[in-house]
Amino acid sequence: MPARPRTFLLASLAGLALLAAPAAAQNRVLQSFKVGDGSDRIGVFNDGTEVETAGPAAIQTGPNGQVYVLDQVNGRILTVDGDKPAATPKAVDLPAGLAPKDLVAVDGKLYVWDGGVHALQPGGGADGRKYEARSVGDVDDVVKSAFAQMGSQTPTDAEEILADPGRSLGKQPEFTPIRQFVQSRGFGAVKVDVIPGRDQKSAQVEVRQDADPLNAIAFPIRVTSRLGSVEILDVTQKREVYVFVEDVPLSTKQKPALYVARYTGRGALDRIYDVPITADQAAVRRFVTVGPKGNVLFLRSDTAEVAILDLAARQPRAQVLEPPPAKSEAFDESTPGLLTAVKPGTRSGVIQTALGFEALKWTVTQSAYGRDPDEACVGFDRIRRPWYLQGKLGEEVRGVPYCWGCFGSLAQFRAKIERGARAGNVCTREDPKRDLAGVDCSAFVSAAWGLSRQYTTRDIPSITKPLDDPWSLKPGDALNKPGSHVMLFVKFTPDRKVEVLEAATSSCNGKVCRNVYPLSVLLARGYTPVRYTALTD
């Protein structure tokens, strides 16, 4: 696949690097929000087991120092005053039917991503408190790069995946040069070239100003394990370069390290900010941004509270970017195996089956759509109809709907719809309903593996083996978080992220879809790479 336009910045001069041990300085809470739908609250939900906690999807800093938070659950964007963070945020609603998963600010304009790019303009609605959206078909390189920083990019073409399925099996990802484009707030438009080293631990970075290509900043970076994705976040007027860097270990017994590093105009490592993602972090696509005063802001959220943290900086003292040592939970090999009717298959067959769930096109009938207005879930304010089906009565849609507690093949889904079953259910605290059709996350992976019944995320460890080396993932393997969510691994992207297929509520708008994530983020949030051993290459 040709290298996509993006900025890929690494951080650390051969003689300069990051020290892993946390500094004495503490992260500061810039602003905190209670969970809810009021003007000073943010929507977060977790409806039980077998589903990820969903919350605010992105944080981004605007050109005038304002901080935007994409409140996905409540369908709006909150604007925080960077100079007065304690003030009540301004809430502006998103257009009906738009459920974005990411937000960026480029050259003073707001864009959101929901599988495609939409430009936002405030001023809609009777009171002017609603955004108007315009779909952007021809997206420029800078906007593409901005979204791709955290994986908001078009997944690999399905035909390319299936054309040569053996190409990536058992191989490490190809570390091809990556170009990124950034509209920085202080240095103007820049092009960045990142040339990964042959040792897979380092890379050379060159940042060149568009207006003056000779005005360049160059430096290498080195990590202790294996270099993951590296992303330019911003360049200041003082030529300070902020870079997001992953160090993904070769063993799941170690935790991944995530950093934002700051470099001077001469390429010297100046500051290190440790990104504190933990297993209870809600699913957030864009979790760091460079604040109006050059501070690094982190969007922290769980079921109890959402907070914007001003991350503490520490001085580099070592030559290599070193993650702190950490213990991981051992795999319990004494777990009794579950009986299953196994259908031996190939990895290419698994991927082809999974792509069928993502690509299926079907017409939304009245019985599949259900009544309007839709039912509310018991005990909390959520609709039961998957978001991507809203307003699509009588139209053709793509993708099998998310349905908690549902299981079945593609043929079984079609048969249920033809018999009048309703399509999907995003409520996950109610008992599974027999009149629904679709799949939840573990049902989707079970069906792709050819299992005769559903194995939940808690069951999956009993029929798989954990992979000690996350870089050894092959197509058809999975990333599993017991009690929460599971994703089917598809491939490594050229910039070292992972492409997955998953059935999800928030990250897929209530259906089966493909997504791209930084590997270190998934590992830090508690996902374990696993292999269903009945598959053949």
Side-chain angles (χ1 to χ4, degrees):
M1 183 174 72
R4 57 177 169 71
R6 298 198 13 203
T7 319
F8 190 24
L9 204 89
L10 277 72
S12 183
L13 200 54
L16 300 165
L18 315 180
L19 183 69
Q26 298 294 314
N27 298 328
R28 181 173 66 93
V29 177
L30 187 71
Q31 185 164 28
S32 61
F33 306 84
K34 293 182 178 180
V35 173
D37 57 5
S39 59
D40 59 345
R41 296 172 181 253
I42 285 183
V44 177
F45 61 76
N46 184 321
D47 304 333
T49 60
E50 301 301 311
V51 66
E52 283 193 299
T53 298
I59 185 172
Q60 180 79 153
T61 304
N64 298 319
Q66 64 272 48
V67 180
Y68 298 104
V69 178
L70 177 56
D71 185 3
Q72 180 189 29
V73 174
N74 290 322
R76 63 190 183 184
I77 294 174
L78 302 181
T79 304
V80 176
D81 188 333
D83 293 325
K84 300 177 181 178
T88 301
K90 176 184 177 182
V92 181
D93 293 333
L94 292 165
L98 185 63
K101 298 178 286 185
D102 199 0
L103 165 76
V104 298
V106 177
D107 202 18
K109 298 178 182 178
L110 282 181
Y111 299 86
V112 292
W113 168 274
D114 68 347
V117 177
H118 303 270
L120 297 182
Q121 179 67 38
D127 58 357
R129 301 295 293 271
K130 190 171 185 176
Y131 283 106
E132 296 176 344
R134 174 180 58 84
S135 180
V136 182
D138 187 15
V139 183
D140 64 34
D141 290 339
V142 173
V143 175
K144 286 182 183 178
S145 281
F147 276 118
Q149 284 176 347
M150 297 298 170
S152 296
Q153 59 203 80
T154 303
T156 309
D157 184 83
E159 292 184 2
E160 181 180 342
I161 294 174
L162 296 173
D164 187 9
R167 176 178 49 196
S168 60
L169 300 185
K171 295 174 61 178
Q172 298 296 346
E174 296 181 1
F175 291 83
T176 55
I178 299 294
R179 168 162 286 189
Q180 301 174 354
F181 301 83
V182 174
Q183 182 65 44
S184 69
R185 285 179 291 168
F187 203 54
V190 297
K191 290 187 179 72
V192 180
D193 288 307
V194 178
I195 306 171
R198 294 182 179 275
D199 60 0
Q200 300 183 355
K201 297 182 178 181
S202 62
Q204 178 71 20
V205 181
E206 295 180 356
V207 183
R208 297 186 181 277
Q209 193 176 45
D210 276 4
D212 181 9
L214 296 180
N215 192 359
I217 307 169
F219 52 90
I221 184 175
R222 176 174 292 276
V223 296
T224 58
S225 297
R226 178 165 295 174
L227 194 63
S229 62
V230 179
E231 305 291 342
I232 288 284
L233 299 178
D234 203 2
V235 185
T236 70
Q237 289 181 336
K238 296 179 180 180
R239 295 165 53 96
E240 297 165 329
V241 184
Y242 287 81
V243 189
F244 171 70
V245 183
E246 292 183 298
D247 185 4
V248 182
L250 299 176
S251 170
T252 54
K253 293 181 174 63
Q254 295 177 291
K255 289 185 178 180
L258 296 85
Y259 305 99
V260 173
R262 190 178 78 180
Y263 289 81
T264 68
R266 295 186 176 183
L269 180 58
D270 179 47
R271 292 288 187 275
I272 303 161
Y273 305 82
D274 299 290
V275 180
I277 289 183
T278 59
D280 60 348
Q281 171 81 22
V284 177
R285 171 66 72 173
R286 186 171 302 274
F287 44 83
V288 288
T289 186
V290 179
K293 299 179 181 179
N295 49 339
V296 176
L297 305 180
F298 171 71
L299 183 59
R300 168 71 182 159
S301 64
D302 55 35
T303 55
E305 186 183 54
V306 176
I308 299 175
L309 302 184
D310 189 342
L311 298 184
R314 57 184 171 91
Q315 297 283 348
R317 294 186 300 164
Q319 300 299 313
V320 178
L321 205 157
E322 298 174 339
K327 297 180 180 180
S328 63
E329 295 183 3
F331 176 66
D332 184 3
E333 297 184 354
S334 65
T335 302
L338 301 180
L339 297 178
T340 177
V342 176
K343 298 178 180 178
T346 64
R347 294 185 178 279
S348 59
V350 168
I351 297 299
Q352 187 166 359
T353 299
L355 286 171
F357 278 82
E358 182 260 347
L360 179 68
K361 293 182 179 181
W362 58 284
T363 300
V364 183
T365 62
Q366 181 63 64
S367 59
Y369 192 73
R371 68 185 186 183
D372 235 349
D374 192 17
E375 300 174 31
C377 297
V378 176
F380 53 102
D381 184 19
R382 284 186 63 203
I383 56 173
R384 62 179 295 136
R385 182 183 300 124
W387 291 282
Y388 86 110
L389 298 179
Q390 289 294 332
K392 300 298 183 181
L393 178 61
E395 299 181 23
E396 185 179 71
V397 294
R398 176 184 173 123
V400 173
Y402 180 91
C403 182
W404 185 71
C406 298
F407 173 75
S409 64
L410 283 173
Q412 290 170 327
F413 170 74
R414 284 187 178 277
K416 287 182 179 180
I417 293 296
E418 291 174 359
R419 290 198 299 266
R422 280 183 291 182
N425 179 8
V426 297
C427 302
T428 59
R429 281 184 182 165
E430 297 178 274
D431 293 332
K433 306 296 183 182
R434 295 184 179 274
D435 63 339
L436 301 177
V439 289
D440 61 21
C441 63
S442 56
F444 164 65
V445 172
S446 298
W449 282 346
L451 304 179
S452 61
R453 74 165 180 88
Q454 178 179 359
Y455 284 76
T456 70
T457 58
R458 296 186 189 278
D459 296 333
I460 284 176
S462 68
I463 61 170
T464 62
K465 69 174 184 179
L467 300 177
D468 185 55
D469 180 2
W471 293 102
S472 66
L473 279 162
K474 297 181 180 181
D477 289 340
L479 289 146
N480 185 53
K481 185 176 180 179
S484 178
H485 191 53
V486 63
M487 310 172 182
L488 195 72
F489 176 77
V490 175
K491 59 174 288 187
F492 287 103
T493 63
D495 56 344
R496 308 178 186 90
K497 294 186 179 71
V498 290
E499 184 173 324
V500 301
L501 277 152
E502 58 179 329
T505 53
S506 58
S507 57
C508 287
N509 288 336
K511 64 176 180 177
V512 175
C513 77
R514 274 182 288 159
N515 270 318
V516 178
Y517 297 101
L519 177 57
S520 67
V521 173
L522 297 181
L523 296 176
R525 289 177 53 214
Y527 284 88
T528 299
V530 297
R531 176 163 296 160
Y532 180 51
T533 55
L535 300 181
T536 63
D537 289 348

